[in-house]
Amino acid sequence: MPLHTPTIDTIGTTEARFASTYREVQVGPVGLGDVTFPHDWAVTCDDVGAHYYVHLPLAGRFDSRHRGVDLTHTREATAVFRPGGGSFTGRWAAGYHALCVRFDLPSMNAALARLLGDRTPARITFGHTMNTAAGFGRGWADLLLSVNRQSTAPDSLLHQPLVAAPLAESMVNGFLLAATHSYSEQLRTPVGAARPAAVRAAVDLIEADPRAPLTVALLASSCDVSVRTLQNGFRRHLGMSPMAYVREVRLRRAHEELRAADPFAESVAAVARRWGFRHLGRFAAAHEATYGQTPLRTLRG
């Protein structure tokens, strides 16, 4: 059963004990598995383990019973399986294909604390179902699908900390914003913006080492403000999010590197990858929009 598949640190495909095909990539504290059941399958266990799990069906259906509730999982709605929730029963029809998302408990609590302003939360109580058809739930599901597509690339940028760290944070924070739980209302409550001094401190950190695996959580913690307060401060004082500013600085440094590079020894793709741009076409478009010429012309000019 995918819920009990061991964690792996590299991308690969394995045949699970239960005649299912399961490929998993580990992105920070998030495990993202692509699972297919070629035959009908059912399993019952005492508990789902020490992690939170969410299945996002891509084809077929999945029936489960957990926390005393019977559910049918579809592309529009699924369930949140939590540790300590008691017995679990799952039934998969032949041809079932899904993304199985695993979050570890400490990272979930830490992310929520940062979003709330570093206040240590009590145990999170999630609702039984999660809407993945619209709003934050749809956006979160689209993010996971994008990461899953990237995981199949032979030279995946998910192995690069510059890319993996913010993606992992986005997956965890996106889940906390999309799912219904005991702190949902608090996360929807508006917060104030960080003072200019805190924004300047974050800007200094970014400019000092833009190649570091920066995340909003790391910047907020370093500036002694909450994640949402720092985000609001950047929008108010700079007109963009912290990570948009990080991308802007990395684009500038990549441009400077292209200008100084030997076109016979360097390539646009290598420079883009070093600065955390995982989509070469988008990098080229952003570079041309900002500097008025393609990266290749900058490299050759």
Side-chain angles (χ1 to χ4, degrees):
M1 176 184 174
L3 293 175
H4 293 292
T5 299
T7 302
I8 58 176
D9 295 322
T10 57
I11 300 168
T13 301
T14 59
E15 290 297 320
R17 291 192 296 137
F18 305 112
S20 67
T21 301
Y22 192 71
R23 172 178 52 79
E24 180 176 293
V25 59
Q26 185 75 27
V27 187
V30 183
L32 184 61
D34 189 308
V35 60
T36 301
F37 282 90
H39 310 290
D40 291 347
W41 187 257
V43 68
T44 298
C45 56
D46 294 335
D47 194 77
V48 298
H51 304 85
Y52 291 99
Y53 293 92
V54 180
H55 270 226
L56 294 176
L58 303 178
R61 55 181 284 168
F62 163 37
D63 297 315
S64 71
R65 181 174 179 80
H66 181 59
R67 291 190 277 168
V69 175
D70 292 308
L71 291 171
T72 296
H73 305 248
T74 67
R75 296 194 65 163
E76 290 73 37
T78 188
V80 177
F81 304 119
R82 66 172 178 82
S87 64
F88 167 87
T89 298
R91 294 174 296 278
W92 295 267
Y96 176 75
H97 178 205
L99 294 184
C100 179
V101 192
R102 184 188 69 248
F103 301 102
D104 69 59
L105 185 60
S107 68
M108 187 69 66
N109 289 338
L112 180 59
R114 289 191 294 265
L115 289 173
L116 294 174
D118 288 327
R119 291 186 290 105
T120 304
R123 187 180 180 88
I124 313 170
T125 303
F126 282 94
H128 292 288
T129 60
M130 180 178 178
N131 179 5
T132 53
F136 287 156
R138 180 68 266 165
W140 181 71
D142 288 343
L143 172 63
L144 296 177
L145 291 170
S146 176
V147 174
N148 187 54
R149 286 192 295 270
Q150 176 64 31
S151 72
T152 62
D155 55 349
S156 174
L157 280 173
L158 295 179
H159 291 304
Q160 300 298 320
L162 285 180
V163 175
L167 268 180
E169 182 173 287
S170 295
M171 286 189 282
V172 176
N173 288 349
F175 174 67
L176 286 169
L177 292 170
T180 301
H181 52 80
S182 48
Y183 292 89
S184 293
E185 287 301 319
Q186 292 185 49
L187 292 182
R188 296 189 189 105
T189 302
V191 297
R195 296 180 180 274
V199 174
R200 283 196 300 271
V203 166
D204 289 344
L205 287 170
I206 295 167
E207 294 281 359
D209 191 6
R211 272 188 177 172
L214 299 169
T215 65
V216 183
L218 186 151
L219 292 168
S221 176
S222 299
C223 299
D224 200 27
V225 295
S226 75
V227 166
R228 294 189 297 158
T229 297
L230 186 65
Q231 288 172 328
N232 287 350
F234 263 73
R235 292 191 183 98
R236 173 176 295 181
H237 300 296
L238 298 179
M240 64 182 74
S241 70
M243 294 313 296
Y245 187 81
V246 170
R247 287 189 292 273
E248 184 177 275
V249 173
R250 288 174 178 166
L251 181 64
R252 185 200 327 141
R253 300 294 178 86
H255 172 73
E256 293 168 355
E257 190 171 317
L258 287 169
R259 289 184 62 192
D262 179 352
F264 295 102
E266 190 59 274
S267 70
V268 170
V271 172
R273 287 178 63 89
R274 279 199 295 273
W275 288 101
F277 293 96
R278 60 193 181 101
H279 193 290
L280 190 58
R282 290 175 192 154
F283 169 71
H287 185 279
E288 187 168 6
T290 303
Y291 298 104
Q293 61 183 19
T294 64
L296 184 59
R297 185 172 179 182
T298 298
L299 177 62
R300 291 175 174 174

